[in-house]
Structure formats: C-alpha cells, structure tokens
Amino acid sequence: MDHAYLTPLILAIIATATPLLLAATGELVTEKSGVLNLGIEGMMLMGAVSGFVTAKLTGSMVLALVAAGLTGMAMSALFGFLALVLLANQVASGLALTIFGVGLSALVGANWVGQPIDPLPVLFPAALAELPLVGPVLFAHDFLTYLSFGAIAGVWWFLYRTKAGLILRAVGDAHDSAHAIGYNVVKVRFLATLFGGCMSGLAGAYLSLVYTPMWAENMSAGRGWIALALIVFATWRPGRVLIGAYLFGAIAILQLHAQGAGLDIPAQFLNMLPYLATILVLVIISRDAVRIRLNAPACIGKAFHPAA
Amino acid sequence: MKSTLVRLLGAAVLAGMAAMGVARAEELKVGFVYVGPVGDYGWTFRHDVARKAVEAAFPGKVKTTFVESVKEGPDAERVIRQMAASGNKLIFTTSFGFMNPTVKVAKQFPAVKFEHATGYKRTANLSTYSARFYEGRAIIGHIAGRLSKTGVVGYIASFPIPEVVRGINAFTIALRKVNPEAKVKVIWVNTWYDPGKEADAAKALIDQGADIIAQHTDSPAPLQVAEKRGVKGFGQASDMIKFAPKSQLTAIVDNWNPYYIARTKAVMDGSWKSEATWAGIKPGMVKMAPYTNMPADVKAEAEALQAKLASGEVHAFDGPIKDQSGKEVVKAGEHLDDKTLATMDYYVEGVDDKLKK
C-alpha cells in the first residue's frame, strides 16, 4: 500500500473520527461529574443547524462555531435545569432532549435544506499541506479537527492534573461526601454539563460545516449515540476515548474500502463491524469488573439531594 | 423508537387539526404519508414538492396535509387510517413498506381513493404508481462510459432490493455498450440516507480508482466529495448542481408533479380508476437535470439516448444481456419484460461485486 493510497485513507478516518471524538470528549467530562446526558444526538443536531445557518447569514465561520457551541450549551442548560435543579430523571430528560433536538433542528433548518456552503477553511497555509508524506495528514485540517485533539488532551490534564478536575471527579464518585466538605455539587455538575453541550454543538458544526458541508434533517444519523457508547467502551478514560473514536472511524472506513476492493464478504456483515468491535471490546473489558469500577463515576445518573 | 414518539405526536396533532378544520364544500382534501423527513432533499423532498404543486394547480379547491417520517410498520396503518377518517378523499402513501397497511385501510374506506408508490397490490380503490428510474440510469451509464478515463466507475448503493439492483444493471449495460472494458465497483452503505457515510463511501471509491461516482442514496454528500476530489458524479432525486457546480454531469430527477395533479383532477371529476402506473422518461415522471460539465458530443449523445428511451426505440434492457456467469439472459432483438425487471435479483456482466441472496 503506497502513500498515495494511504494518505486519503488516513484523512477519511480522521474525518469520521473527529465528530465522535468531539462529542465524546464533552460527554466524558459530563459523566465524570456524575451526570448522564443522553441528549448528545439532539445537541449535535442543534449545533449543526445553528452553525450552518449562522455561517450562511453572517459569512463568518468564527461566529458559526461560537453559535454552534452556545446552542449546544443552551440545550444542555435545559437538560441541566430539568435534571440537576428540578431533579428529574436523567435518563428520561436526556432522551427528551434528543427528541426535542431532532424536532427543533428540523424546524429551524426547514428553509435551509438543499443549500451548499463553503466548508470550514484549512487552518494552515496550503504550502504546508503539500509537504510530502506528512503534509496532508498533519496540516490539511480545519480548526475543529485540531480542537478535537487539543480538547481530549486538555480534558485529561484537567481531570487528572488539576484540583478542579479532582473536585469534579469527587462530585462524580461520591456527591454526598463532596457536598459534606463544602463543594457545590449542583454547580460543578451544571458546568460539566454545559461543557458537554458545547462540545456536542461543535461536533454538530463539524458535520454541517466540514464533513458534509450542508444542512439536512437528522444528518447526524446516530453519531451521538455512538459517542455515548464510546465512553463506556473507553471505561471513562480520556486516552481510550481517543483510541476508541479512531478505532471506530478506522473500521467504518476500512469496511467501505473492503467492499470497494471486492472482498467476498457480505456487505451487511461489513456494515456490522464497527458495532461488533464495540461489543467485543465491551465484553473483553467487562471481564475485569474492578478496573471498570476504578474509572466509572460511582454516582453516574443519580440525582443529588443536598438534604439527604 | 425516539423518533416514533415524535412522529406519533405529530400525526395526532395533524389529524386533530384536520378534523377541526371544516373544509369548504367544494374543497378536496388530499393526504400524503411520507417515510422520511420532507427536509431530506431526496425521495420525500420530491414527493413534497409534488404535493405543493397539487395545491398550486388547484388554488382554493384542494387542501393537502402530510405526515412525515412515518415508520414502515404498525405506525403506518394508524396514520393512514387517521388520514382517511379525517376526511381526506385521496391519500398517497409514498413508500414500498406502506403497501400492506394501505391495502388494509383501503378496504375499510371504500369511498376514499388510495395511491401507493412502488408497490404491486391493488384493490378497487387503491392504485399503484412507480417511476422507471432505470431509464435515467441507462443515460448516466452511457455518459459515465464516455467520460471515465480509468474505466472504473463507483456506485454507492443502499439496499439490495430489485429497484436498486435494476438501477445498477441498467447503468452497467449502458456503460459497457460504450466501453466494454469498464467495471462498476459497488459499495453498499445499507442506508438510504446518512450524509457522512455516503461521503465516506464516495471517498473509498475514488481512492480505489473510480473517476466517476453514481449513487442510489439520497443526500448530495457523495457529489460534494466528487467536487472536492475533482471527479465527476450524478445527482439523485433532485438537481444537485448547487452542491457540485464543476462535478455534476446530470441528475435523475423524480418528478411526481404531473401524476399527482392528474390523479387529483381525476378524483375531482370522478374519472379516477384503480390502475398500475409505471412511467418513465416519456411522460416526464423521470426527468434529467441539464447535462453539464461534459463535451458537446457526449451531451448530444445523452440527449439522443434520452429521446430514444422516451420513444421506445431503445429499451434500457435491450438484449443481448449476459449475467455475471456469462449466461445469456436476453437474446439480441428482445428486451427484458416488466415482470423480470420488477423482481430483478441478479447482476449483469461487468458489475464488480457479488450479490448475496
């Protein structure tokens, strides 16, 4: 396999993995604080449509990304209000957020279907991307792709190397204890939820501004749920979230290449591969229950009653 | 599951609104049941364009309602029955999977006329209609044969049903009439609509040497990839030239407008009869977007082929045709009949893929 074939392959894998990585990075922080937000799909779609519409109206990609992030945050604030302030069931609220986001994004985007847009520009000058071998792989990307790497590294550093990260994990593991020593559990969780919403919104913007530069109803096509599965797959570890996103992207792309190359394997089976791999890894990881419990936030999905 | 809930709510609200609105005496109520969202810019989008055309054709005389994203299954029956019960006199159900629910409801509402797209079951008040999209695929196959330099053409396919297999075959036959060495690489994405996955499939095909991309999925994403990578492609369902001004050669456009208007008129003047319609380029149910990004001689050939397909001088499945094993399935001078076409489950020679049965 020469690099003329390999380079576009790697680029395709990066494009497939980036939205998953962005959304999963946000959700990782949310879940580490003990909040399970199942609304990623809805937040992504809202981010996608608001990013697209803003870019169309203002012509500014910066504003488009800001709008997508803020829309994701607004959606997650709605969830936070229901689940953290009113103490509604997190699973139900998250599902409702997805349903709401699917519908609202379709409504908002109804007049924007079938319009093209110039994609988010590549960050570095074109000359760098023309460098042999490493050029396209390292320098031919947009801001969001680099952000996805920066964000996952930043989240690792934040969670395991800062005091704020320690507090966040404490809130996620034992909210009563954290509360007892004086930390504002709801505030920490709300902020973590907002971060998750922002990243989901940006993941959506990646879809409508980079991956397939257009708006179409339900264009995320289940990627929000995959991001959610990635967290469990990664047993709540940032490094594994990164690996998982790229593994998933790689299998998704390679199965298409296998079909194109005429491998005599049923297409349905190849389409199944990414999900099969997820299940397989889950099974392997689950054999060691202790290691999961080490990383899984103990209070995930549990409502916090300060009085209790 | 999640979306079912929304759709149900939507259906209930719509039905409620329809029931409350008192139609004027002469106003004909026409209902549409869609399988996808109207914003898909593909299959459902085109049906909705035709719905609007019906409203525009009979101003003040027709009131249309629609329910979108109806799942093929028990939901469909409820939605269709609700449509019939709320006073719609003509109901279009626009997906193959709505067949049995439509038949069931049609029996319960003999005074309501039903129209089911792409199915084959008819009753006294239930017609079927479909379009011969394969005629359009013969034209794009010809163009691909003339323009491909690598001799490898990529084809993004959705599900292995006769409609899609027929399209691949019509495309391949026309392609190899022009370039007998050319091959069609097929990638099945197992979805009608997932822009990201369709784009990935297009990238994979281009990476494997395809310099022309055809698709039987609904989003403009593959064309966007073609545009970016500097290869050519064809639009699907709608004219997608806006997404690929330098890359789209033409598009096979679904045009339900004349049929929907004619059938609405037939109900109005009482001439509606249950019939089976399978129309192609000739009455304009299948239209071709303007031929662009190709030399004048190829354009002229495409236009000539389109005229011959319309007049019946050329059939997309004219013999001799060989299947993948090299066995002749149609002799020279004959063409495949509609029954064989409707149930097509094998590839013709030149398709670089194996069909699992």
Side-chain angles (χ1 to χ4, degrees):
Chain A
M1 208 184 270
D2 58 313
H3 86 271
Y5 190 84
L6 204 59
T7 304
L9 189 69
I10 295 172
L11 290 179
I13 291 172
I14 294 174
T16 312
T18 299
L20 301 177
L21 183 56
L22 283 168
T25 304
E27 179 70 9
L28 175 67
V29 172
T30 307
E31 291 195 9
K32 270 294 190 184
S33 78
V35 181
L36 180 67
N37 184 355
L38 296 180
I40 302 183
E41 185 87 357
M43 298 190 291
M44 274 176 85
L45 282 167
M46 284 304 292
V49 75
S50 60
F52 184 87
V53 171
T54 311
K56 271 296 209 190
L57 289 178
T58 66
S60 160
M61 283 295 175
V62 176
L63 283 180
L65 293 183
V66 170
L70 286 180
T71 309
M73 282 170 91
M75 291 288 285
S76 65
L78 188 65
F79 168 84
F81 178 70
L82 289 173
L84 300 177
V85 179
L86 302 181
L87 301 182
N89 180 295
Q90 292 185 8
V91 172
S93 310
L95 284 173
L97 191 70
T98 285
I99 297 169
F100 176 63
V102 170
L104 186 63
S105 63
L107 184 70
V108 173
N111 292 324
W112 300 92
V113 169
Q115 298 190 25
I117 191 168
D118 286 329
L120 203 61
V122 171
L123 209 56
F124 295 108
L128 277 175
E130 280 160 15
L131 289 174
L133 292 171
V134 294
V137 173
L138 290 184
F139 301 113
H141 305 295
D142 54 278
F143 168 71
L144 285 175
T145 307
Y146 297 112
L147 178 73
S148 70
F149 285 105
I152 192 72
V155 160
W156 172 83
W157 176 80
F158 169 78
L159 285 177
Y160 297 103
R161 290 293 181 272
T162 68
K163 188 180 173 203
L166 185 64
I167 296 170
L168 186 136
R169 284 189 288 138
V171 165
D173 276 330
H175 49 210
D176 290 325
S177 312
H179 176 67
I181 53 175
Y183 292 118
N184 188 337
V185 172
V186 173
K187 186 178 142 197
V188 169
R189 288 189 169 169
F190 213 102
L191 289 175
T193 304
L194 287 180
F195 178 75
C198 180
M199 294 303 284
S200 287
L202 289 175
Y206 184 84
L207 296 179
S208 66
L209 297 176
V210 183
Y211 201 15
T212 51
M214 61 176 162
W215 162 251
E217 246 178 76
N218 216 354
M219 66 186 300
S220 55
R223 283 177 182 78
W225 299 104
I226 294 170
L228 209 55
L230 269 177
I231 310 280
V232 185
F233 177 101
T235 58
W236 292 270
R237 300 281 294 266
R240 291 195 198 138
V241 168
L242 176 70
I243 294 169
Y246 272 79
L247 187 69
F248 200 91
I251 297 173
I253 294 296
L254 287 175
Q255 66 98 351
L256 295 171
H257 276 263
Q259 277 197 52
L263 285 192
D264 193 16
I265 306 170
Q268 290 86 345
F269 177 77
L270 290 171
N271 274 300
M272 226 159 68
L273 269 185
Y275 307 94
L276 213 58
T278 309
I279 294 172
L280 198 71
V281 173
L282 282 179
V283 168
I284 295 169
I285 293 172
S286 306
R287 287 176 59 203
D288 193 351
V290 179
R291 279 176 66 187
I292 294 186
R293 253 181 273 135
L294 273 179
N295 294 305
C299 290
I300 191 158
K302 286 185 192 154
F304 173 66
H305 304 264
Chain B
M1 180 53 215
K2 45 177 176 121
S3 56
T4 313
L5 237 156
V6 194
R7 312 310 178 196
L8 276 179
L9 279 173
V13 170
L14 267 179
M17 277 170 12
M20 276 185 287
V22 182
R24 275 180 287 159
E26 76 274 27
E27 206 172 59
L28 176 73
K29 290 176 76 177
V30 184
F32 294 81
V33 183
Y34 300 144
V35 71
V38 292
D40 68 356
Y41 207 62
W43 178 256
T44 296
F45 178 80
R46 296 302 306 175
H47 284 286
D48 202 52
V49 164
R51 177 188 67 81
K52 288 177 188 153
V54 169
E55 287 227 321
F58 308 100
K61 290 187 179 162
V62 171
K63 186 174 165 15
T64 65
T65 43
F66 69 89
V67 183
E68 59 179 332
S69 298
V70 177
K71 286 264 160 26
E72 300 181 324
D75 276 359
E77 194 185 317
R78 273 199 298 277
V79 172
I80 299 166
R81 181 175 296 115
Q82 193 61 50
M83 279 237 157
S86 55
N88 288 292
K89 291 294 167 225
L90 174 62
I91 296 172
F92 292 90
T93 58
T94 63
S95 185
F96 181 78
F98 296 157
M99 180 161 69
N100 291 331
T102 309
V103 171
K104 215 167 160 187
V105 179
K107 280 180 185 152
Q108 294 162 344
F109 292 87
V112 178
K113 312 294 185 218
F114 291 86
E115 296 269 350
H116 176 238
T118 71
Y120 53 82
K121 289 187 183 168
R122 282 170 292 278
T123 66
N125 60 329
L126 167 59
S127 284
T128 56
Y129 62 100
S130 186
R132 295 178 188 268
F133 295 115
Y134 66 83
E135 294 185 352
R137 297 205 177 265
I139 299 174
I140 68 172
H142 180 95
I143 297 170
R146 290 286 272 113
L147 295 183
S148 175
K149 293 187 184 76
T150 60
V152 180
V153 179
Y155 202 108
I156 302 164
S158 48
F159 293 99
I161 57 171
E163 165 79 25
V164 178
V165 174
R166 188 164 63 232
I168 295 171
N169 284 339
F171 180 87
T172 308
I173 291 166
L175 172 84
R176 284 168 63 96
K177 267 185 192 154
V178 191
N179 180 357
E181 301 300 311
K183 274 189 175 165
V184 179
K185 268 189 194 294
V186 183
I187 289 187
W188 295 95
V189 288
N190 277 45
T191 174
W192 286 110
Y193 178 76
D194 177 344
K197 199 168 183 190
E198 293 171 56
D200 289 340
K203 288 177 196 165
L205 287 165
I206 295 168
D207 291 344
Q208 296 189 337
D211 61 351
I212 298 202
I213 301 291
Q215 63 179 97
H216 203 143
T217 50
D218 280 340
S219 90
L223 265 178
Q224 284 186 315
V225 171
E227 175 93 359
K228 198 175 162 202
R229 301 286 283 268
V231 306
K232 306 287 186 214
F234 301 98
Q236 162 84 2
S238 299
D239 186 349
M240 295 174 170
I241 190 80
K242 279 189 291 182
F243 288 93
K246 292 199 291 284
S247 179
Q248 181 183 289
L249 295 163
T250 179
I252 303 169
V253 178
D254 310 1
N255 180 28
W256 306 107
N257 302 25
Y259 183 76
Y260 285 6
I261 291 170
R263 299 305 276 174
T264 306
K265 191 160 187 305
V267 170
M268 285 171 148
D269 61 25
S271 64
W272 191 96
K273 279 203 301 282
S274 171
E275 48 194 66
T277 304
W278 198 13
I281 286 173
K282 192 180 172 204
M285 198 180 263
V286 178
K287 279 187 22 184
M288 301 305 286
Y291 298 104
T292 49
N293 296 315
M294 63 180 86
D297 57 331
V298 180
K299 184 179 174 188
E301 285 171 26
E303 278 164 353
L305 179 58
Q306 184 175 350
K308 282 179 187 165
L309 283 164
S311 72
E313 190 186 325
V314 170
H315 190 284
F317 286 91
D318 272 332
I321 298 172
K322 286 180 184 166
D323 68 11
Q324 274 182 315
S325 66
K327 194 183 89 185
E328 193 171 80
V329 285
V330 198
K331 288 198 282 281
E334 294 176 14
H335 63 76
L336 278 180
D337 56 53
D338 280 359
K339 201 172 158 235
T340 319
L341 288 179
T343 56
M344 194 155 231
D345 63 351
Y346 59 86
Y347 280 141
V348 298
E349 204 174 44
V351 182
D352 190 9
D353 185 37
K354 285 205 176 70
L355 202 55
K356 295 283 181 273
K357 288 177 189 170

